[in-house]
Amino acid sequence: MKNLLFSLLFTAVATTSYSQNNTYQLSSHILDVSSGTAAIGVPVVLEKYDETTKIWSYVDEKTTDKNGRIIDFLNYKETKKGIYKLRFLVADYFKSKKTDSFYPFIEVVFQIKDANHYHVPITLSSYGYATYRGN
């Protein structure tokens, strides 16, 4: 019985500590597929598009952590629907790896249509990238 209770408690703690932070609506992640590792220390700029003026405006800038992640874009208290752009500034990342790269930065444009969480990751190599809507 003690083992069962311990197992249930361990599972609850593990699930809680690894669950997604729901305080923020937008997160991102960069995986360097050429090395199979997280892209650490990459600056990422978030901008929002004004459909009336056709102008992009700065919202925030963060840097990927030791896991290649940014989990805290767009606090739910301030969230607005709209068209956004993440600009991944990858030039210095590749320079630090002593790797030539075709892309000095990568821009991903996407639309937030509701109050759900949006995860916009990229897989990256020096001559290519891919993106998708994650969870």
Side-chain angles (χ1 to χ4, degrees), residues 22 48 51 59 62 65 67 83 98 108 112-113 125:
N22 289 331
K48 186 172 188 217
E51 294 184 67
V59 176
K62 309 274 183 183
D65 66 13
N67 297 312
I83 298 172
K98 297 181 172 65
V108 178
I112 292 180
K113 297 181 178 183
S125 72

PDB file of all heavy atoms in Angstrom, residues 22 48 51 59 62 65 67 83 98 108 112-113 125:
ATOM      1  N   ASN A  22       1.011  27.712 -18.106  1.00  0.00           N
ATOM      2  CA  ASN A  22      -0.150  28.318 -18.753  1.00  0.00           C
ATOM      3  C   ASN A  22      -0.309  29.800 -18.435  1.00  0.00           C
ATOM      4  O   ASN A  22      -1.346  30.373 -18.684  1.00  0.00           O
ATOM      5  CB  ASN A  22      -1.424  27.554 -18.374  1.00  0.00           C
ATOM      6  CG  ASN A  22      -1.470  26.201 -19.032  1.00  0.00           C
ATOM      7  OD1 ASN A  22      -0.923  26.027 -20.107  1.00  0.00           O
ATOM      8  ND2 ASN A  22      -2.111  25.250 -18.394  1.00  0.00           N
ATOM      9  N   LYS A  48       4.172  42.446 -33.672  1.00  0.00           N
ATOM     10  CA  LYS A  48       2.758  42.316 -34.026  1.00  0.00           C
ATOM     11  C   LYS A  48       2.459  43.208 -35.225  1.00  0.00           C
ATOM     12  O   LYS A  48       2.943  44.334 -35.308  1.00  0.00           O
ATOM     13  CB  LYS A  48       1.863  42.711 -32.854  1.00  0.00           C
ATOM     14  CG  LYS A  48       0.395  42.455 -33.140  1.00  0.00           C
ATOM     15  CD  LYS A  48      -0.475  42.664 -31.922  1.00  0.00           C
ATOM     16  CE  LYS A  48      -1.884  42.188 -32.282  1.00  0.00           C
ATOM     17  NZ  LYS A  48      -2.901  43.001 -31.712  1.00  0.00           N
ATOM     18  N   GLU A  51      -2.966  45.591 -38.986  1.00  0.00           N
ATOM     19  CA  GLU A  51      -3.584  45.428 -40.304  1.00  0.00           C
ATOM     20  C   GLU A  51      -4.105  46.744 -40.882  1.00  0.00           C
ATOM     21  O   GLU A  51      -4.261  46.860 -42.091  1.00  0.00           O
ATOM     22  CB  GLU A  51      -4.694  44.381 -40.221  1.00  0.00           C
ATOM     23  CG  GLU A  51      -4.140  42.990 -39.913  1.00  0.00           C
ATOM     24  CD  GLU A  51      -5.201  41.920 -39.916  1.00  0.00           C
ATOM     25  OE1 GLU A  51      -5.745  41.649 -41.009  1.00  0.00           O
ATOM     26  OE2 GLU A  51      -5.485  41.380 -38.836  1.00  0.00           O
ATOM     27  N   VAL A  59       7.076  43.906 -29.809  1.00  0.00           N
ATOM     28  CA  VAL A  59       6.334  43.472 -28.635  1.00  0.00           C
ATOM     29  C   VAL A  59       7.291  43.069 -27.522  1.00  0.00           C
ATOM     30  O   VAL A  59       7.167  43.514 -26.391  1.00  0.00           O
ATOM     31  CB  VAL A  59       5.380  42.296 -28.962  1.00  0.00           C
ATOM     32  CG1 VAL A  59       4.693  41.779 -27.715  1.00  0.00           C
ATOM     33  CG2 VAL A  59       4.355  42.709 -30.009  1.00  0.00           C
ATOM     34  N   LYS A  62      13.378  37.959 -26.312  1.00  0.00           N
ATOM     35  CA  LYS A  62      13.871  36.990 -25.324  1.00  0.00           C
ATOM     36  C   LYS A  62      15.036  36.234 -25.948  1.00  0.00           C
ATOM     37  O   LYS A  62      15.293  36.335 -27.152  1.00  0.00           O
ATOM     38  CB  LYS A  62      12.778  35.974 -24.953  1.00  0.00           C
ATOM     39  CG  LYS A  62      11.446  36.556 -24.540  1.00  0.00           C
ATOM     40  CD  LYS A  62      11.415  36.892 -23.101  1.00  0.00           C
ATOM     41  CE  LYS A  62      10.020  37.400 -22.725  1.00  0.00           C
ATOM     42  NZ  LYS A  62       9.923  37.799 -21.366  1.00  0.00           N
ATOM     43  N   ASP A  65      16.811  29.522 -23.776  1.00  0.00           N
ATOM     44  CA  ASP A  65      17.469  29.030 -22.571  1.00  0.00           C
ATOM     45  C   ASP A  65      18.329  27.797 -22.857  1.00  0.00           C
ATOM     46  O   ASP A  65      18.548  27.447 -24.024  1.00  0.00           O
ATOM     47  CB  ASP A  65      16.436  28.755 -21.475  1.00  0.00           C
ATOM     48  CG  ASP A  65      15.478  27.607 -21.799  1.00  0.00           C
ATOM     49  OD1 ASP A  65      15.732  26.828 -22.757  1.00  0.00           O
ATOM     50  OD2 ASP A  65      14.456  27.482 -21.100  1.00  0.00           O
ATOM     51  N   ASN A  67      17.686  24.840 -22.815  1.00  0.00           N
ATOM     52  CA  ASN A  67      16.946  23.815 -23.552  1.00  0.00           C
ATOM     53  C   ASN A  67      16.495  24.313 -24.919  1.00  0.00           C
ATOM     54  O   ASN A  67      15.683  23.669 -25.576  1.00  0.00           O
ATOM     55  CB  ASN A  67      15.734  23.355 -22.740  1.00  0.00           C
ATOM     56  CG  ASN A  67      16.143  22.698 -21.450  1.00  0.00           C
ATOM     57  OD1 ASN A  67      17.019  21.838 -21.431  1.00  0.00           O
ATOM     58  ND2 ASN A  67      15.532  23.100 -20.351  1.00  0.00           N
ATOM     59  N   ILE A  83      -1.950  39.042 -35.927  1.00  0.00           N
ATOM     60  CA  ILE A  83      -0.858  38.464 -36.701  1.00  0.00           C
ATOM     61  C   ILE A  83       0.450  38.854 -36.030  1.00  0.00           C
ATOM     62  O   ILE A  83       0.696  40.033 -35.752  1.00  0.00           O
ATOM     63  CB  ILE A  83      -0.901  38.959 -38.159  1.00  0.00           C
ATOM     64  CG1 ILE A  83      -2.216  38.515 -38.818  1.00  0.00           C
ATOM     65  CG2 ILE A  83       0.302  38.446 -38.945  1.00  0.00           C
ATOM     66  CD1 ILE A  83      -2.459  39.089 -40.193  1.00  0.00           C
ATOM     67  N   LYS A  98      31.279  28.116 -35.263  1.00  0.00           N
ATOM     68  CA  LYS A  98      32.239  28.148 -36.374  1.00  0.00           C
ATOM     69  C   LYS A  98      31.674  27.429 -37.601  1.00  0.00           C
ATOM     70  O   LYS A  98      32.346  26.642 -38.262  1.00  0.00           O
ATOM     71  CB  LYS A  98      33.581  27.558 -35.954  1.00  0.00           C
ATOM     72  CG  LYS A  98      34.258  28.343 -34.850  1.00  0.00           C
ATOM     73  CD  LYS A  98      35.589  27.757 -34.482  1.00  0.00           C
ATOM     74  CE  LYS A  98      36.373  28.581 -33.536  1.00  0.00           C
ATOM     75  NZ  LYS A  98      35.987  28.835 -32.263  1.00  0.00           N
ATOM     76  N   VAL A 108       9.160  33.924 -38.861  1.00  0.00           N
ATOM     77  CA  VAL A 108       7.993  33.058 -38.938  1.00  0.00           C
ATOM     78  C   VAL A 108       6.772  33.908 -38.579  1.00  0.00           C
ATOM     79  O   VAL A 108       6.682  34.452 -37.477  1.00  0.00           O
ATOM     80  CB  VAL A 108       8.108  31.859 -37.977  1.00  0.00           C
ATOM     81  CG1 VAL A 108       6.851  30.994 -38.041  1.00  0.00           C
ATOM     82  CG2 VAL A 108       9.352  31.035 -38.295  1.00  0.00           C
ATOM     83  N   ILE A 112      -2.703  34.456 -34.249  1.00  0.00           N
ATOM     84  CA  ILE A 112      -3.352  34.017 -33.015  1.00  0.00           C
ATOM     85  C   ILE A 112      -4.824  34.373 -33.150  1.00  0.00           C
ATOM     86  O   ILE A 112      -5.182  35.545 -33.288  1.00  0.00           O
ATOM     87  CB  ILE A 112      -2.717  34.673 -31.778  1.00  0.00           C
ATOM     88  CG1 ILE A 112      -1.290  34.139 -31.603  1.00  0.00           C
ATOM     89  CG2 ILE A 112      -3.569  34.420 -30.537  1.00  0.00           C
ATOM     90  CD1 ILE A 112      -0.542  34.707 -30.429  1.00  0.00           C
ATOM     91  N   LYS A 113      -5.669  33.332 -33.123  1.00  0.00           N
ATOM     92  CA  LYS A 113      -7.099  33.534 -33.371  1.00  0.00           C
ATOM     93  C   LYS A 113      -7.961  33.371 -32.130  1.00  0.00           C
ATOM     94  O   LYS A 113      -9.160  33.634 -32.183  1.00  0.00           O
ATOM     95  CB  LYS A 113      -7.574  32.538 -34.420  1.00  0.00           C
ATOM     96  CG  LYS A 113      -6.920  32.723 -35.773  1.00  0.00           C
ATOM     97  CD  LYS A 113      -7.446  31.718 -36.766  1.00  0.00           C
ATOM     98  CE  LYS A 113      -6.833  31.945 -38.127  1.00  0.00           C
ATOM     99  NZ  LYS A 113      -7.380  31.032 -39.133  1.00  0.00           N
ATOM    100  N   SER A 125      19.118  24.057 -39.330  1.00  0.00           N
ATOM    101  CA  SER A 125      20.484  23.690 -39.701  1.00  0.00           C
ATOM    102  C   SER A 125      21.057  24.917 -40.405  1.00  0.00           C
ATOM    103  O   SER A 125      20.350  25.900 -40.625  1.00  0.00           O
ATOM    104  CB  SER A 125      20.512  22.459 -40.620  1.00  0.00           C
ATOM    105  OG  SER A 125      20.041  22.787 -41.908  1.00  0.00           O
TER     106      SER A 125
END
